[in-house]
């Protein structure tokens, strides 16, 4: 039980530091100090910084997607759930310490040299796209919308991070609403990838 608690404290510290300052700016000694674990225990649980970075990203992915789904599922099935994605983003963007997408940030730092970071980032994007595809299907819309919604989500996150303006979520939500209207008005034969 103590090992699990220590692992949680280490991952909590890693998430705060890595997300707040970047992967390369934070050393294992800082994580040790912030978590209260000994350096020996830290390396027993995570044999290298690469292992810790991957564990941080994998855990963040699960927690991030669960938080999103929890909010979305408060809405009735259909288009309201799709639009709720952007409402959740707006809430996230207004949180203190918001720094954009941890996966894009990590990929930008180490994706070219770290297969685990690149893999974690790709897996996150793929899982998000699959989730959006499920919402699109549930709402009875064309499959092609999932990719468009993914681009709106990722674009809103990046825009909010760079500009510091949470309104990016509102703009993306309005664009998503227009895409849903367009898809509803389109004959099934003219929409790319319909069905």
């Amino acid at each position: 039980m103590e090992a699990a608690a220590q692992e949680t404290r280490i991952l909590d510290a890693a998430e705060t530091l890595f997300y707040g300052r970047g992967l390369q700016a934070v050393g294992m000694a800082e994580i040790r100090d912030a978590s209260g674990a000994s350096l020996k225990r830290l390396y027993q649980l995570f044999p290298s910084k690469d292992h810790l970075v991957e564990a941080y990203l994998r855990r963040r992915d699960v927690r991030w997607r669960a938080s999103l789904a929890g909010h979305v599922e408060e809405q009735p099935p259909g288009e309201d759930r799709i639009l709720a994605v952007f409402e959740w983003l707006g809430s996230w963007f207004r949180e203190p310490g918001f720094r954009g997408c941890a996966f894009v940030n990590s990929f930008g730092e180490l994706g070219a040299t770290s297969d685990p970071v690149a893999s974690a980032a790709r897996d996150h994007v793929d899982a998000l796209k699959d989730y959006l595809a499920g919402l699109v299907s549930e709402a009875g819309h064309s499959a092609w919308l999932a990719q468009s919604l993914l681009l709106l989500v990722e674009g809103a996150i990046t825009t909010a991070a760079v500009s510091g303006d949470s309104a990016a979520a509102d703009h993306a939500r309005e664009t998503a609403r227009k895409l849903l209207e367009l898809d509803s008005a389109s004959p099934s034969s003219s929409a790319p990838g319909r069905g």
Side-chain angles (χ1 to χ4, degrees):
M1 191 64 164
E2 177 59 26
Q6 281 187 328
E7 183 174 336
T8 297
R9 284 195 307 271
I10 291 167
L11 286 170
D12 288 346
E15 183 163 4
T16 298
L17 292 168
F18 287 152
Y19 184 69
R21 295 187 26 223
L23 304 178
Q24 296 180 84
V26 176
M28 293 294 268
E30 285 182 86
I31 293 167
R32 173 203 62 205
D33 294 345
S35 68
S38 69
L39 203 53
K40 179 180 178 183
R41 186 65 180 149
L42 177 58
Y43 279 108
Q44 285 173 338
L45 292 169
F46 303 98
S48 70
K49 185 176 175 183
D50 288 344
H51 286 92
L52 180 57
V53 167
E54 183 177 13
Y56 143 68
L57 289 171
R58 298 290 180 186
R59 186 180 80 150
R60 185 169 176 99
D61 170 60
V62 169
R63 290 169 44 182
W64 189 92
R65 289 187 297 112
S67 178
L68 171 62
H71 176 81
V72 167
E73 288 165 15
E74 292 174 0
Q75 301 299 319
E79 290 183 359
D80 287 345
R81 286 190 174 180
I82 294 170
L83 298 176
V85 168
F86 299 95
E87 293 163 7
W88 181 85
L89 288 175
S91 296
W92 177 40
F93 297 168
R94 290 186 292 276
E95 288 180 5
F98 169 73
R99 282 197 65 245
C101 178
F103 303 91
V104 170
N105 295 347
S106 297
F107 187 85
E109 276 194 78
L110 295 177
T113 59
S114 171
D115 288 338
V117 167
S119 177
R122 286 187 194 105
D123 290 348
H124 172 76
V125 171
D126 289 344
L128 179 56
K129 182 181 176 187
D130 290 346
Y131 178 71
L132 294 170
L135 295 177
V136 165
S137 176
E138 176 185 71
H141 280 281
S142 301
W144 66 268
L145 275 172
Q147 183 66 38
S148 297
L149 293 172
L150 177 66
L151 294 173
L152 285 173
V153 167
E154 293 294 340
I157 295 169
T158 301
T159 300
V162 172
S163 70
D165 186 359
S166 66
D170 298 328
H171 299 305
R173 183 183 187 279
E174 181 60 17
T175 302
R177 189 186 61 72
K178 288 178 181 176
L179 285 174
L180 292 169
E181 287 176 2
L182 177 66
D183 185 58
S184 293
S186 296
S188 62
S189 60
S190 67
R194 182 136 184 135

